[in-house]
Amino acid sequence: MIQNKKKCYVCIDLKTFFASVECSERNLDPFETNLVVADPSRGNGALCLAITPKMKTMGIKNRCRIFEIPKDVEYITATPRINLYMDYSARIYEIYLRYVSENDIHVYSIDECFIDITPYLNLYNKKPKEFAQMLMDAVFEETHITATAGIGKNLYLAKIALDIISKHVDGNIGMLTERMYQKYLWHHQSLTDFWHFGVGTVNHLARMGIFDMYGITRCPEEIMYKEFGINAEYIIDHAYGKEPTTITQIKAYAPQTNSISNSQVLFEDYEYYDALLVVKEMVDLLVNRLVSNHLVTDNISLYVGYSRSDKNCPVTGSGGQRKLTVRTSSLKIIMKEFVELYHSKVLKNSKIRQISISLGNVLDEYYESYDLFSNIEQLEEEKNLQRAIIQIKEKYGKNAILKGMNKLEKATTEKRNTLVGGHNAN
């Protein structure tokens, strides 16, 4: 049993959240209903953002494609409504705030959060499991969304208790101490079931002859650091069930350098100049963010991913970065640099399916700089025009003002302005 005098965290996950919200809106039980959240307009290859627990019991994978659902299974198709899911998430967050302070909550994703319940166990005179159940019951009573939870003395153990243990215990509330973790999970496979252990890390460990957490604890630390560098520290800590980071530290963290980015997966394969049009649209939007937040940058980066269907393409992607001679928020300057970077790095005869751009070393506009060729008056006029456009969009919507390039056949901004997270907003 986890002692109240020690740190105690709960990690709460809203079960098959998007599908559960759609069932709640229809007064349906997700444990008795076949429902898929997907956009059928994208064809049978469209990704299912969520399926109900009932469909999971049939062996259907949560993140499957529509065509992978067995033909003999009848189900309801719900087009994604991201704004609705965000509203539900906000409502549930407000429920948590009735019981705990916002300083003790770390929102991990739209359907998952960590809560430091240490100071509340004596206040409510409850044991950790009882406290978690109280929160889960409150959520279900008001939203009909079922939750699962993990409890641990640190954030990592709480997350593992949720991801691995909660699925196999009554009440769907898992609990872990370091001793329990080492007893029951040291030999658990696959390592990809563990938080922060991606396929790349797991394959690297396999090449070293390590296939479980116990194997990591047996490997000399100098070898781990040689193989994984600074990442070896958290790998070793997690192998023992340790995690020193607290929610207080997460909230106090301030990165030394900042960046803003934008990326998208295109709806179809794009030719070289069509993809450049999309890059220009993305740069336009990202620079608007700079101006809106009174920021400047002196570093840009670009990445394009090529289509898997392009068998003649020699690489999966290409890109690069460029240091600017000034720190600026000028669309004219930044656009010119991106276009030159694109022409120098992207393959002309390969189909493009993914684009990512980023502005690095982002600072307050107080640090804006110029060179000998800068026309400060023109730069100020440009910035005033950008601010006017931003104000109109904030008042009347993102599509209130569009540029000529946004109306071209292969442009994506006008359509994406109606989406949230790449999916239908409503």
Side-chain angles (χ1 to χ4, degrees):
M1 176 64 65
I2 299 172
Q3 300 299 316
N4 290 354
K5 294 181 181 180
K6 298 179 181 180
K7 275 289 185 183
C8 187
Y9 295 93
V10 59
C11 183
I12 301 180
D13 175 62
L14 306 172
K15 199 171 184 67
T16 59
F17 182 51
F18 293 173
S20 293
V21 169
E22 294 293 346
C23 284
S24 177
E25 288 289 297
R26 294 166 170 80
N27 293 317
L28 299 173
D29 184 349
F31 293 91
E32 300 294 334
T33 305
N34 293 336
L35 183 143
V36 171
V37 179
D39 186 352
S41 69
R42 299 189 179 186
N44 283 335
L47 183 68
C48 298
L49 299 185
I51 63 174
T52 52
K54 171 71 179 305
M55 295 185 70
K56 285 186 177 182
T57 63
M58 303 176 184
I60 302 171
K61 294 182 179 179
N62 191 41
R63 303 285 287 183
C64 65
R65 304 281 178 177
I66 290 179
F67 70 82
E68 294 176 320
I69 300 175
K71 304 299 183 185
D72 59 343
V73 175
E74 295 185 2
Y75 58 88
I76 299 168
T77 300
T79 302
R81 297 187 283 177
I82 303 301
N83 279 343
L84 177 65
Y85 311 147
M86 293 170 65
D87 287 342
Y88 266 76
S89 182
R91 285 171 56 193
I92 292 170
Y93 180 75
E94 289 174 356
I95 293 173
Y96 297 149
L97 290 180
R98 297 175 195 166
Y99 299 89
V100 301
S101 165
E102 63 178 336
N103 295 327
D104 295 314
I105 304 178
H106 170 54
V107 177
Y108 185 62
S109 66
I110 192 172
D111 60 352
E112 193 170 329
C113 73
F114 292 91
I115 304 176
D116 182 354
I117 62 174
T118 310
Y120 304 100
L121 298 177
N122 288 334
L123 177 64
Y124 289 93
N125 191 28
K126 290 185 180 295
K127 297 177 181 179
K129 188 174 181 180
E130 293 172 338
F131 192 88
Q133 190 66 60
M134 177 178 66
L135 296 179
M136 294 162 62
D137 288 345
V139 170
F140 183 80
E141 181 178 345
E142 295 192 30
T143 67
H144 300 292
I145 303 296
T146 300
T148 57
I151 298 170
K153 62 175 290 187
N154 60 50
L155 295 174
Y156 175 72
L157 288 176
K159 176 66 171 170
I160 299 304
L162 168 72
D163 290 345
I164 300 179
I165 304 299
S166 67
K167 301 174 183 178
H168 307 289
V169 296
D170 293 338
N172 296 319
I173 301 177
M175 299 184 68
L176 278 178
T177 62
E178 287 181 18
R179 181 176 297 179
M180 294 165 62
Y181 175 85
Q182 295 172 14
K183 179 178 180 180
Y184 296 111
L185 296 179
W186 254 3
H187 298 289
H188 177 90
Q189 294 186 23
S190 162
L191 281 173
T192 54
D193 292 340
F194 292 84
W195 193 32
H196 285 165
F197 278 74
V199 174
T201 299
V202 172
N203 288 341
H204 192 156
L205 288 167
R207 290 193 294 272
M208 297 168 61
I210 298 174
F211 302 94
D212 56 23
M213 288 295 183
Y214 181 76
I216 295 174
T217 68
R218 300 300 94 187
C219 182
E221 288 194 6
E222 58 269 23
I223 294 178
M224 291 296 296
Y225 277 95
K226 180 181 178 181
E227 294 290 331
F228 294 98
I230 193 173
N231 289 335
E233 182 176 0
Y234 85 79
I235 293 175
I236 295 169
D237 278 350
H238 288 181
Y240 284 97
K242 300 180 182 295
E243 173 54 67
T245 304
T246 65
I247 288 180
T248 301
Q249 290 173 324
I250 292 173
K251 289 183 174 292
Y253 173 73
Q256 294 181 343
T257 60
N258 293 307
S259 66
I260 60 175
S261 60
N262 191 357
S263 65
Q264 62 176 291
V265 177
L266 302 169
F267 292 114
E268 59 183 308
D269 293 348
Y270 268 51
E271 302 290 346
Y272 180 84
Y273 283 103
D274 291 332
L276 176 58
L277 167 64
V278 177
V279 169
K280 290 179 179 179
E281 290 188 296
M282 294 168 69
V283 172
D284 189 36
L285 294 173
L286 216 52
V287 170
N288 278 346
R289 285 177 59 186
L290 280 182
V291 176
S292 178
N293 292 286
H294 305 284
L295 302 170
V296 290
T297 183
D298 66 354
N299 185 277
I300 67 170
S301 62
L302 166 75
Y303 172 82
V304 301
Y306 300 110
S307 173
R308 294 180 181 179
S309 64
D310 190 346
K311 304 303 181 182
N312 296 321
C313 185
V315 292
T316 58
S318 60
Q321 59 179 340
R322 176 173 290 197
K323 178 80 171 177
L324 308 185
T325 58
V326 293
R327 186 173 286 115
T328 183
S329 61
S330 166
L331 176 61
K332 182 178 179 180
I333 294 173
I334 295 173
M335 183 71 78
K336 177 177 177 292
E337 297 289 344
F338 264 108
V339 171
E340 290 179 0
L341 183 60
Y342 182 90
H343 286 312
S344 67
K345 297 295 183 180
V346 179
L347 301 180
K348 282 193 173 182
N349 298 316
S350 296
K351 307 288 187 182
I352 296 170
R353 198 59 182 261
Q354 179 185 352
I355 302 173
S356 299
I357 66 171
S358 178
L359 304 178
N361 296 331
V362 173
L363 297 173
D364 187 273
E365 64 183 1
Y366 172 83
Y367 297 98
E368 185 172 9
S369 63
Y370 310 96
D371 59 23
L372 292 174
F373 303 100
S374 298
N375 186 321
I376 298 178
E377 289 185 359
Q378 285 186 359
L379 290 173
E380 193 60 32
E381 287 180 5
E382 179 190 338
K383 189 178 295 184
N384 288 335
L385 176 60
Q386 288 173 282
R387 287 171 177 163
I389 292 173
I390 291 168
Q391 289 176 357
I392 293 172
K393 289 186 174 184
E394 288 177 347
K395 186 173 182 179
Y396 297 105
K398 294 179 181 179
N399 283 333
I401 292 183
L402 294 171
K403 295 185 176 181
M405 66 177 178
N406 302 137
K407 303 300 290 186
L408 295 175
E409 181 183 355
K410 295 296 183 178
T412 63
T413 292
E414 186 173 13
K415 170 63 177 176
R416 288 178 62 82
N417 280 345
T418 65
L419 307 177
V420 175
H423 301 282
N424 292 329
N426 300 300

